[in-house]
Amino acid sequence: MALRLFDSLTRETRELVPGSPDGVYRFYNCGPTVYAPAHIGNFRTFVVNDVLRRLLELQFGPDKVKHVRNLTDVDDRTITQARKEGRPLGEITAHWTKLFHADCDALNLLRPHVEPTATGHIVEQVEMIDQLVQRGHAYAAADGSVYFKIASFADYGALSRIRERELLVTDTAADSDHKNSVGDFALWKAWKPEEDGTVQWPGPKGAAPGRPGWHIECSAMSRKHLGKTIDLHTGGVDLLFPHHENEIAQSQCCTGVPFARHWYHSEHLLVNGTTMSKSKGNYFTVRDLLDKGHSPTAVRYALLAGHPRKQLNFTLDSLHAAEKAVATLRNFRAALLPSGGSPEAFASVFAALHDDLNTPAALGALFSIVNKGSAGLDLPSFDRVLFALGLRLDAPEAPKAEVPSYVNTLAERRWAAKQSRDFNAADALRAEIQAAGWQMLDRKDGYSLEPLKR
Ligand code: AMP
Ligand code: ZN
């Protein structure tokens, strides 16, 4: 069955096929900027990409897919955060990378085959900038920064269909006074001691020491790890312009061949009708939801419940519904035959996934099978569906934990001590309860016990 996906460049839904003779499908997914926790909006994008990765593996074989997802560990935001905290850049980015990976594991994301960092590829970025300058596509400005000259690339705007007029409006770069033309974008940013602190590297030829612009990292890293032309390039819809438009310009002006054969952008997760974002502060992290007692599988399910190319409004109700759906799937699985069922039983689920990654239709198809009962269906076929969706039903779930009986006893004793105004004893018992991982929430007429937040 052909795996078809909307292509943001041609605006057609096209089949995914490897472009190179070795049959390896080359997949680049723009990764996170590691200066703050990734929120579940970011994870919507990463989960959708993970389903794509899984479908590609099922389609071409696990050893015929190469998946690269980068870490942006130097840019304006990471540097600003490091300065704010008065800590070295590498310490900040290492911290947030570790937490990002923990959330990826909780959500059952397959690890990319390569996870390159921007700071680990300065040489490759500088080389690419040198090439662009040599070929007349870039120029050094008076302050030692280097800019890409968009007028030198006739296809500029092909992905975003942006017109010259709109470029003027969208250009908000603070350093625009050094550029020849407003649409030109930074490939290299000259060191500004008051902003950049100690963050700097030797620059391209004719440029000052400084750091790479954001866009060049993906051009350089995808070329190094996947070659000049990649099969699929993805990210959230906000990356389409200018990030991906600029990646195309940089890469194609260096290599002279098409950069990506297919582009895919997933839509945003909203809260109360606005995009969930770090800068707006209106976000949930994976950790927030797990601490509330939700299971990671339900979080993943909720993120897949909407069509990836449509905005999805996140609510705690949708998460409760996901929780129930996951429980139903777990019960269903327990009743399946060990083998011998019809291998085509779940074809409708795959048909939906292969039709432009229609995850809500796939879940709908799955539940219409589940609702008919498990007769004649077997585990291996069902587990193939679970693999494609990345739903781990055997994962250690984190529902409301049972209060151990000795904690209940401690709580009763503390409540009694408090009633008789023996506050020293009450405080000592509260400490014991906390040491056991619980907290006691007092009300006028009684108390409840909650697991302590990790
Ligand atoms: P960032 O860490 O900001 O570089 O973003 C990482 C990825 O998350 C990018 O692919 C973004 O397009 C994507 N993204 C950011 N905000 C959202 C959102 N609210 N919903 C879905 N994806 C998002
Ligand atoms: Zn990128």
Side-chain angles (χ1 to χ4, degrees):
M1 196 192 301
L3 172 51
R4 294 164 60 81
L5 193 67
F6 184 78
D7 174 11
S8 322
L9 181 61
T10 61
R11 302 209 174 158
E12 289 163 357
T13 303
R14 290 193 292 115
E15 190 177 342
L16 298 178
V17 274
S20 57
D22 63 6
V24 172
Y25 197 87
R26 292 167 165 77
F27 171 24
Y28 188 94
N29 173 201
C30 288
T33 309
V34 277
Y35 74 105
H39 53 67
I40 56 166
N42 302 129
F43 276 107
R44 181 188 195 200
T45 294
F46 297 128
V47 164
V48 163
N49 277 276
D50 183 63
V51 175
L52 251 182
R53 153 89 183 266
R54 289 162 180 271
L55 292 174
L56 290 167
E57 285 196 6
L58 288 172
Q59 190 80 356
F60 304 123
D63 56 339
K64 291 288 185 193
V65 179
K66 187 165 178 194
H67 176 202
V68 178
R69 188 186 66 214
N70 66 299
L71 292 166
T72 298
D73 63 350
V74 58
D75 76 331
D76 294 346
R77 295 180 291 176
T78 45
I79 292 176
T80 306
Q81 188 61 29
R83 281 183 62 84
K84 227 197 270 176
E85 294 188 32
R87 289 160 66 198
L89 178 67
E91 221 175 280
I92 299 290
T93 56
H95 171 76
W96 291 113
T97 299
K98 205 167 134 204
L99 295 186
F100 173 69
H101 285 157
D103 287 348
C104 287
D105 288 347
L107 292 181
N108 199 26
L109 300 182
L110 296 174
R111 298 196 176 172
H113 300 102
V114 190
E115 196 175 42
T117 60
T119 56
H121 293 73
I122 300 291
V123 171
E124 289 82 353
Q125 296 176 77
V126 166
E127 266 173 25
M128 216 160 179
I129 298 170
D130 281 337
Q131 268 182 11
L132 288 168
V133 174
Q134 271 165 24
R135 294 181 189 183
H137 292 293
Y139 57 90
D143 71 337
S145 297
V146 182
Y147 292 96
F148 185 92
K149 185 157 83 187
I150 61 165
S152 75
F153 181 53
D155 275 351
Y156 194 85
L159 179 67
S160 57
R161 269 73 163 172
I162 198 131
R163 288 189 222 110
E164 198 68 34
R165 186 161 47 84
E166 289 164 339
L167 275 176
L168 295 173
V169 179
T170 53
D171 188 274
T172 53
D175 44 9
S176 57
D177 44 344
H178 293 292
K179 308 181 208 176
N180 294 347
S181 166
V182 276
D184 293 355
F185 60 89
L187 297 167
W188 185 259
K189 295 190 169 192
W191 184 54
K192 292 188 188 147
E194 68 286 2
E195 285 173 24
D196 299 334
T198 56
V199 179
Q200 57 151 315
W201 290 268
K205 292 191 187 84
R211 62 184 164 99
W214 168 37
H215 315 297
I216 193 74
E217 76 178 72
C218 289
S219 285
M221 296 191 288
S222 65
R223 180 173 175 182
K224 171 155 184 192
H225 297 287
L226 293 173
K228 290 180 182 173
T229 299
I230 59 184
D231 291 310
L232 174 64
H233 194 123
T234 64
V237 69
D238 56 307
L239 300 188
L240 196 142
F241 184 85
H243 186 52
H244 289 163
E245 194 72 68
N246 293 351
E247 284 185 33
I248 294 175
Q250 297 160 158
S251 293
Q252 296 193 180
C253 288
C254 270
T255 65
V257 295
F259 175 43
R261 300 171 59 243
H262 207 119
W263 288 88
Y264 181 75
H265 294 94
S266 42
E267 262 293 348
H268 272 187
L269 190 70
L270 312 182
V271 213
N272 299 326
T274 43
T275 290
M276 187 175 282
S277 80
K278 293 175 205 175
S279 55
K280 288 199 185 97
N282 61 346
Y283 61 82
F284 289 108
T285 64
V286 172
R287 180 50 51 202
D288 291 337
L289 298 176
L290 300 191
D291 284 345
K292 282 181 197 285
H294 296 289
S295 78
T297 304
V299 175
R300 181 168 172 122
Y301 188 104
L303 295 176
L304 290 173
H307 194 293
R309 288 199 302 107
K310 296 204 177 104
Q311 295 182 332
L312 175 66
N313 201 35
F314 179 79
T315 61
L316 288 177
D317 278 350
S318 65
L319 195 51
H320 288 299
E323 223 51 91
K324 279 197 192 140
V326 169
T328 305
L329 293 177
R330 189 178 297 111
N331 291 337
F332 176 77
R333 186 175 185 279
L336 291 170
L337 301 170
S339 63
S342 154
E344 283 307 304
F346 296 97
S348 56
V349 180
F350 284 101
L353 290 175
H354 284 197
D355 177 15
D356 193 27
L357 205 64
N358 193 338
T359 52
L363 293 171
L366 179 58
F367 270 85
S368 70
I369 298 167
V370 167
N371 292 337
K372 282 190 208 126
S374 55
L377 302 178
D378 69 17
L379 264 176
S381 324
F382 184 62
D383 283 349
R384 203 161 171 268
V385 172
L386 295 181
F387 172 80
L389 294 166
L391 296 176
R392 195 162 52 185
L393 299 183
D394 56 354
E397 300 295 330
K400 287 263 175 248
E402 286 265 325
V403 184
S405 63
Y406 76 97
V407 174
N408 266 325
T409 310
L410 290 172
E412 280 163 25
R413 282 172 53 202
R414 179 176 166 273
W415 184 249
K418 202 179 149 193
Q419 297 307 65
S420 56
R421 308 188 65 80
D422 183 353
F423 296 115
N424 284 341
D427 285 350
L429 284 159
R430 176 192 286 280
E432 266 192 77
I433 292 165
Q434 284 181 348
W438 292 81
Q439 62 175 334
M440 214 167 148
L441 304 175
D442 294 351
R443 292 184 311 270
K444 240 194 193 141
D445 53 342
Y447 60 87
S448 59
L449 283 162
E450 292 279 329
L452 268 184
K453 288 196 173 184
R454 275 162 294 177

